[in-house]
Amino acid sequence: MNTIEQPLIECFQKVCSSIGSFKTGITEIYLLNNLYTYHCHYDTREKKVIVDENERKRLNTINWKESIHSNAIYSEESQTLLIYACPVLQNGEHQYTLVTKYHEKNNKKILQILDLLAKQLSYQLVTQPNLKSLFLHSKYQQQITNTIEEGYLTVDQKGIITFINKIGTSILGLDENELTGKSLIGILPNFKPSPLVTLQTKENWVNREVSFESPKGKIHLVFSVTPLFENGGPVGIVITFREMKIIMKKLESLVNINPIFQFEDIIYKSTSMQELIKTAKVAAKTESNILIEGESGTGKELIAQAIHNQSQRKGKPFVVIDCSSIPRDLVESELFGYVDGAFTGARKGGRLGKFEVANGGTVFLDEIGEMPLEIQVKLLRVLQTRTITRVGGHEPTTCNVRIIAATNRNLEAEVEYQNFRLDLYYRLNVLQLTIPPIREREGDIPLLAKTLVEVAAKRTNRQAPTISLETMKILESYSWPGNIRELENVIERAILIAHVVMEPEHLPNYLLNALVNSDKRKPAQSINLNDANSIREKEKELIRNTLDHVYWNKSQAARKLGISRSNLYEKIAKYNIEQVNR
């Protein structure tokens, strides 16, 4: 049977099967084409369409056209039968004829059955065009696919390219005539395994990657494959594809929303901050890696954004990676991405890592001190080779990024305690910036407080109150372990209570109590950043004091300390901090 006839025969089978088990007296229904020659027949006893070459030769000796028009008598095995026929129309034209034989003349039931079957077949042929003509050879395909922004390629079940749109030819750097009618694997051999495998697996491929040489040079594609079937049989595949560099440009436009801060947005007048900003502006003009140190809440990301926006990478991606918030078992896949099938639960088609998304721009590694040692080794390799390899993959990809790392830890001490690799420390610490805590920024707290009052009032749609002299004195006297983040929290809380003037009673109790007990201010003021043991003792005392201030509400304590809850729990266990019942 010719494969082109398959859709017609399937429609004929579907229509004739509607007779079911009714006793009509009909044994065969013949389907003739518009030249009145035998096409196939339906056997009502076996309930299936039969294409019989012997039957074709025997029946084609009959002049069916003349017999039908004259309502001729048909003799078979000593039986005298009459011919009943009904035309099958397709788009108003006579395309086929249904014929059967019956022993009675002018039997209305037989005529009605044949007429009904002819109309049903006509309807099926008009409303159910086959997929092959619809998807692989449609004359409207070019008009439709030239409106989309990706390459569109159709391939038949034998692997022959039947169509490609203009965007596709532009991406591949090949002319349409060089592609259509040619073998897909012959033209694009790097498609391994062949996308035609989907006709066997019956699975869609989504966002897979392939690289190969073309007349344009080496191109990196992301492609998807949809297999096409009709009535269970394979028809062909549709491949859509895009260049990776186009996808990366679109990603840039999304991630570039984040770096909004400039050096002009930083509020300060203290000498220590003036020196810091001067050094940061010099660092911005270089391509060297930068390590920013400072307590939680001092504005390390703000400085990083300002550096990025004054560097040659301005306008390129600025990707933030919080090393403390990514689950340990997912850190590698988040940073470097993964290929399809890399691990159980991996997204089909794989996924880009943060470093690939940031290509050409800046990666801000926040809380770098929290990065697991096994990932530090892989990060070091990225910095040395300027390439990344996805989880489960083997092919390295060039990665052009600048690293700005930040930490609230003393990394030299962490190196001494073997929590951080010395070689990675030297790679990151090419240029070092240390942001002073706000208690050491003389004259900056009043400036910051007034600005934060205006911002908070605008955000909450309230009139900005003035800050009384007594309240300002308290704000300047407090040690601010949570720095600007804690000051912002205190100001916003006070605005919700105060009306015209912000008084001391509008400040939280823990802050007022801290001033009464001077011992609670000393730990934050006497931290010796060069003494690892002193840092650990002071960190332990700071955590205990903060927990006491908020009555051991760990969520509040984590926010004030500027760390995650999971990190806080780790530190409580590490330092064996226990709540004392009072």
Side-chain angles (χ1 to χ4, degrees), residues 201-379:
T201 63
K202 298 185 178 181
E203 291 183 355
N204 291 354
W205 286 0
V206 180
N207 292 337
R208 297 201 174 191
E209 294 181 44
V210 64
S211 298
F212 53 82
E213 294 293 335
S214 79
K216 292 173 59 176
K218 187 173 183 178
I219 57 175
H220 187 183
L221 299 182
V222 176
F223 71 98
S224 299
V225 180
T226 303
L228 303 175
F229 301 90
E230 186 172 38
N231 298 306
V235 172
I237 59 174
V238 172
I239 304 175
T240 55
F241 53 96
R242 291 164 290 171
E243 282 190 273
M244 177 63 80
K245 65 181 183 181
I246 301 299
I247 297 173
M248 297 305 298
K249 284 182 180 179
K250 290 184 178 180
L251 281 172
E252 284 179 19
S253 67
L254 296 176
V255 296
N256 278 341
I257 297 171
N258 294 325
I260 58 175
F261 292 106
Q262 310 281 347
F263 283 116
E264 293 75 19
D265 299 317
I266 302 173
I267 299 164
Y268 64 94
K269 74 172 187 178
S270 62
T271 304
S272 59
M273 282 300 292
Q274 289 177 18
E275 290 297 322
L276 172 72
I277 298 302
K278 181 180 178 181
T279 305
K281 287 181 177 179
V282 173
K285 298 184 184 300
T286 72
E287 284 289 295
S288 301
N289 295 330
I290 299 172
L291 178 63
I292 303 176
E293 292 185 328
E295 296 178 9
S296 294
T298 50
K300 295 185 286 294
E301 184 178 343
L302 188 151
I303 295 292
Q305 288 190 24
I307 290 172
H308 172 82
N309 282 331
Q310 195 155 319
S311 72
Q312 294 179 354
R313 296 176 183 264
K314 178 182 179 180
K316 295 293 183 180
F318 179 87
V319 176
V320 178
I321 301 173
D322 186 346
C323 300
S324 66
S325 66
I326 305 175
R328 191 181 190 91
D329 55 343
L330 295 179
V331 173
E332 187 177 1
S333 60
E334 283 290 321
L335 265 57
F336 310 125
Y338 55 84
V339 298
D340 186 44
F343 51 85
T344 303
R347 181 188 298 176
K348 282 193 175 183
R351 181 179 177 182
L352 293 173
K354 303 287 189 183
F355 275 75
E356 281 186 272
V357 172
N359 194 37
T362 302
V363 171
F364 177 57
L365 295 172
D366 198 11
E367 304 296 350
I368 186 67
E370 309 293 333
M371 180 175 283
L373 280 168
E374 60 270 23
I375 304 302
Q376 291 180 29
V377 176
K378 296 181 183 296
L379 176 60

Side-chain angles (χ1 to χ4, degrees), residues 536-572:
R536 290 180 176 276
E537 287 301 317
K538 298 308 179 184
E539 184 180 39
K540 177 179 177 180
E541 192 170 352
L542 176 60
I543 291 170
R544 184 191 297 281
N545 288 341
T546 304
L547 286 165
D548 288 341
H549 288 159
V550 296
Y551 305 100
W552 278 74
N553 184 316
K554 296 182 181 63
S555 295
Q556 288 186 30
R559 282 197 297 271
K560 291 186 180 300
L561 291 168
I563 60 178
S564 64
R565 281 187 62 188
S566 61
N567 196 2
L568 176 61
Y569 277 109
E570 288 177 5
K571 290 180 184 292
I572 290 172

Side-chain angles (χ1 to χ4, degrees), residues 13-27:
Q13 171 78 45
K14 183 177 180 180
V15 167
C16 290
S17 296
S18 64
I19 296 175
S21 58
F22 292 110
K23 294 181 179 180
T24 60
I26 298 174
T27 56

Side-chain angles (χ1 to χ4, degrees), residues 487-504:
L487 175 61
E488 184 178 17
N489 177 272
V490 168
I491 293 294
E492 185 166 350
R493 177 188 181 278
I495 277 182
L496 298 175
I497 304 171
H499 294 289
V500 179
V501 180
M502 188 184 298
E503 299 290 357

Side-chain angles (χ1 to χ4, degrees), residues 320-472:
V320 178
I321 301 173
D322 186 346
C323 300
S324 66
S325 66
I326 305 175
R328 191 181 190 91
D329 55 343
L330 295 179
V331 173
E332 187 177 1
S333 60
E334 283 290 321
L335 265 57
F336 310 125
Y338 55 84
V339 298
D340 186 44
F343 51 85
T344 303
R347 181 188 298 176
K348 282 193 175 183
R351 181 179 177 182
L352 293 173
K354 303 287 189 183
F355 275 75
E356 281 186 272
V357 172
N359 194 37
T362 302
V363 171
F364 177 57
L365 295 172
D366 198 11
E367 304 296 350
I368 186 67
E370 309 293 333
M371 180 175 283
L373 280 168
E374 60 270 23
I375 304 302
Q376 291 180 29
V377 176
K378 296 181 183 296
L379 176 60
L380 178 64
R381 181 169 180 79
V382 170
L383 296 179
Q384 289 172 335
T385 64
R386 295 292 174 179
T387 63
I388 63 102
T389 302
R390 293 190 192 177
V391 176
H394 304 287
E395 186 176 341
T397 303
T398 302
C399 186
N400 173 25
V401 297
R402 182 194 198 173
I403 303 292
I404 301 179
T407 182
N408 60 2
R409 295 189 179 194
N410 184 331
L411 287 190
E412 287 188 14
E414 295 300 321
V415 169
E416 184 179 335
Y417 280 91
Q418 298 185 346
N419 292 328
F420 202 84
R421 291 183 62 92
L422 180 63
D423 44 9
L424 178 59
Y425 173 72
Y426 286 133
R427 282 281 178 180
L428 295 173
N429 192 27
V430 178
L431 293 170
Q432 183 178 15
L433 300 173
T434 301
I435 305 177
I438 58 173
R439 61 180 171 274
E440 297 177 7
R441 292 168 53 176
E442 187 177 354
D444 282 357
I445 288 178
L447 278 177
L448 290 167
K450 289 175 183 177
T451 302
L452 290 172
V453 165
E454 293 172 2
V455 172
K458 185 176 181 180
R459 185 169 61 246
T460 57
N461 199 25
R462 293 169 177 267
Q463 183 178 353
T466 58
I467 304 174
S468 69
L469 291 175
E470 186 179 359
T471 303
M472 187 63 78

Side-chain angles (χ1 to χ4, degrees), residues 33-49:
N33 61 24
N34 57 358
L35 297 177
Y36 294 96
T37 57
Y38 172 86
H39 194 82
C40 60
H41 71 275
Y42 179 80
D43 191 311
T44 60
R45 293 157 296 189
E46 296 187 22
K47 297 182 180 179
K48 67 178 183 180
V49 173

